[in-house]
Amino acid sequence: MQRAAIVFSLAAVFILGQVVAAAAEDTVWRPLVERLVEDGYDRTYVESLFGRKSLKFDPRIMARKMNVLLDTKLSKHQTDAPVRKPKVMSRYLNPILIAGAYAFFREHQADFAVIKEKYGVPGEVLTGLMLVETKLGTQVGRHNALTILAGMALGGDVELIRPYLDPEDVPPEIMQWLTRRTLQKGNWGYGELKSLISYARKNGQDPLNIPSSVYGAIGLCQFIPSSAIHYGVDGNGDGRVDLFDMKDALHSMANFVKRHGWKPGLDRAAQLKVIYRYNHSESYALTIMAVADRIGKTNSFFGN
């Protein structure tokens, strides 16, 4: 009897611990749940979504992003910091990667012909984007989009991430800037979270099963969810925009590039300006066009 009582007590303690943990997690997500409901999302659906045990709030998600911005801000704050000139990321010009990119370009030649006719965007440029974004569709991110974006949406309060900031002794004037930027990023994350939920529901997907980058970009083309909604295209004609489907992803990428100003006859400066809109980095834009040039030269070498 005594042994049975001990076992029962241990089981009761375990169950109580589980209940307390679940209640604590519910308390953490509650402000976000109420905000979504106020914005018109169905309460039953939202509470079910944020009641999942696999969804955990991690303040390090926002801290990771803000540490990157903080490092850049502190570098600029120091007048003797050297200015980094944008340059091509040479690792993407590795002969093995270029060979794989060319094989990808040839494999999807029929799709690229249709896409160029419809959007005016060359397959070489799309292949360059696909190579840099997801290694030609093979690496779509090891994170979860809902966890990332919900974490950022809730992490807009700098006090929640302060223990994870590096360095911790941030100058007062920089701290004021960081507080504002963290709130801005939190609001951005909230907007993208809403877009993710809308995108997933429209396509009959579970948001918790959508992989993403460390900052919540999804699909073979690595669109943020709002871009998925605004620029996503049903390329294979099945009635859905699935950015993990190659045809949909390629058409969506081409649509994004076209709608940001790409058209035949642009000079290199104008081309770089358009590609910059895909990822706000001059080095990124230079790299995409360098890869596209290599693919074009390889194609010409083989007489195609």
Side-chain angles (χ1 to χ4, degrees):
M1 287 290 292
Q2 186 176 8
R3 182 177 180 180
I6 292 173
V7 171
F8 177 80
S9 297
L10 290 173
V13 169
F14 175 77
I15 293 172
L16 179 61
Q18 293 292 96
V19 171
V20 170
E25 201 63 39
D26 177 74
T27 302
V28 168
W29 291 123
R30 182 53 47 186
L32 192 55
V33 168
E34 295 302 327
R35 189 177 179 185
L36 286 165
V37 171
E38 286 179 9
D39 280 350
Y41 288 82
D42 179 70
R43 178 177 291 278
T44 301
Y45 174 80
V46 173
E47 290 194 341
S48 173
L49 191 60
F50 284 88
R52 309 268 278 277
K53 290 182 179 180
S54 58
L55 186 62
K56 304 290 184 183
F57 173 62
D58 185 354
R60 293 172 297 182
I61 291 172
M62 179 64 92
R64 181 169 48 215
K65 176 63 175 177
M66 300 317 296
N67 276 326
V68 172
L69 297 180
L70 182 58
D71 179 65
T72 302
K73 183 71 173 180
L74 289 172
S75 296
K76 290 181 178 179
H77 193 61
Q78 300 173 5
T79 56
D80 59 343
V83 177
R84 297 176 182 175
K85 186 178 179 180
K87 61 180 180 179
V88 173
M89 295 177 277
S90 59
R91 64 183 179 276
Y92 291 105
L93 301 184
N94 179 297
I96 295 176
L97 288 182
I98 293 298
Y102 180 66
F104 178 92
F105 174 75
R106 295 296 300 165
E107 177 186 355
H108 297 281
Q109 194 65 52
D111 290 324
F112 288 140
V114 172
I115 287 171
K116 188 173 183 179
E117 178 68 24
K118 184 174 182 180
Y119 304 98
V121 181
E124 294 90 339
V125 172
L126 298 177
T127 301
L129 287 167
M130 191 65 74
L131 174 65
V132 175
E133 289 294 337
T134 57
K135 294 293 192 297
L136 304 175
T138 63
Q139 297 179 13
V140 294
R142 56 185 179 83
H143 300 274
N144 174 267
L146 184 65
T147 300
I148 292 292
L149 294 173
M152 292 189 73
L154 198 59
D157 181 355
V158 75
E159 294 304 320
L160 291 175
I161 68 170
R162 187 186 284 269
Y164 305 96
L165 293 178
D166 183 25
E168 293 184 15
D169 55 337
V170 179
E173 66 274 19
I174 300 297
M175 195 66 209
Q176 291 178 2
W177 168 87
L178 184 64
T179 300
R180 293 194 303 272
R181 288 293 283 141
T182 303
L183 179 59
Q184 289 172 357
K185 281 297 176 184
N187 288 332
W188 176 88
Y190 179 68
E192 292 303 324
L193 172 65
K194 292 198 299 181
S195 293
L196 176 71
I197 293 173
S198 298
Y199 169 80
R201 296 197 76 180
K202 184 177 181 180
N203 287 297
Q205 294 175 280
D206 181 351
L208 264 173
N209 289 336
I210 300 178
S212 78
S213 72
V214 68
Y215 297 131
I218 62 174
L220 304 177
C221 49
Q222 290 293 276
F223 276 6
I224 55 175
S226 58
S227 289
I229 290 175
H230 292 134
Y231 305 108
V233 174
D234 173 18
N236 62 12
D238 67 352
R240 299 169 65 244
V241 177
D242 179 5
L243 298 183
F244 293 90
D245 173 84
M246 186 58 74
K247 285 182 183 291
D248 285 10
L250 290 174
H251 277 259
S252 298
M253 294 168 87
N255 186 43
F256 181 99
V257 172
K258 177 185 178 180
R259 288 176 62 181
H260 281 87
W262 186 283
K263 58 184 177 181
L266 291 180
D267 62 23
R268 179 50 56 98
Q271 291 174 343
L272 290 170
K273 187 176 293 186
V274 172
I275 299 302
Y276 177 86
R277 299 296 299 275
Y278 205 101
N279 184 327
H280 292 179
S281 163
E282 292 180 55
S283 293
Y284 174 92
L286 288 168
T287 302
I288 299 302
M289 295 310 301
V291 171
D293 288 343
R294 292 289 179 91
I295 294 171
K297 289 177 181 177
T298 304
N299 202 41
S300 296
F301 177 81
F302 286 109
N304 295 309

